[in-house]
Amino acid sequence: FMARYDHLFSGNNRESVSLRRNLWNLVLSLQTEQRVVNALPSDERVLEEVAAIGTGRFALPESTRSQQWLEKHGDCIDQLMVEEGGNTVEGAGSGAVLRRKVKVGEVIVPVT
């Protein structure tokens, strides 16, 4: 949809820009689901970029990292899980639970 919308208004004259902006604002105002509104860009000038990379990557550009970045900065936290319905251990609270045993003093998840 966004790619087709972007191609409707290829001109850069004042009327075309104004019409494009007004129509996009109308499109946004007609959305009834908040998650759809959150996924759509508020600025119609970026529609071509959003259509090319997707709404998720546009909204969260740092959400994916290169293999090189992950090797240097990443930490594996697959040993953590959240139990549905909360923790069943009395007095343990409702946070994450470990999938494996750890030694006393062992770092589970580094916090920066």
Side-chain angles (χ1 to χ4, degrees):
F1 167 77
M2 288 184 284
R4 289 190 311 206
Y5 177 90
D6 197 47
H7 291 297
L8 284 175
F9 305 101
S10 58
N12 286 325
N13 61 53
R14 186 179 209 171
E15 293 81 18
S16 179
V17 170
S18 178
L19 178 60
R20 177 184 167 147
R21 182 173 298 123
N22 290 336
L23 184 57
W24 185 248
N25 287 334
L26 177 64
V27 167
L28 291 176
S29 71
L30 294 175
Q31 296 302 319
T32 57
E33 292 187 47
Q34 190 60 44
R35 64 186 189 96
V36 173
V37 173
N38 292 343
L40 295 173
S42 58
D43 188 342
E44 82 288 347
R45 293 172 292 180
V46 298
L47 289 174
E48 189 174 333
E49 180 183 356
V50 174
I53 66 171
T55 56
R57 281 216 175 134
F58 181 80
L60 302 166
E62 304 265 326
S63 63
T64 57
R65 304 292 184 144
S66 69
Q67 182 72 30
Q68 184 180 15
W69 187 95
L70 289 172
E71 287 171 1
K72 183 175 181 182
H73 303 285
D75 289 300
C76 180
I77 59 169
D78 70 339
Q79 70 270 12
L80 293 178
M81 65 180 202
V82 177
E83 290 184 355
E84 264 186 63
N87 195 329
T88 57
V89 178
E90 188 176 329
S94 59
V97 182
L98 287 173
R99 294 179 188 255
R100 62 178 177 84
K101 292 182 178 184
V102 294
K103 296 175 185 171
V104 174
E106 184 179 347
V107 174
I108 299 167
V109 178
V111 179
T112 56

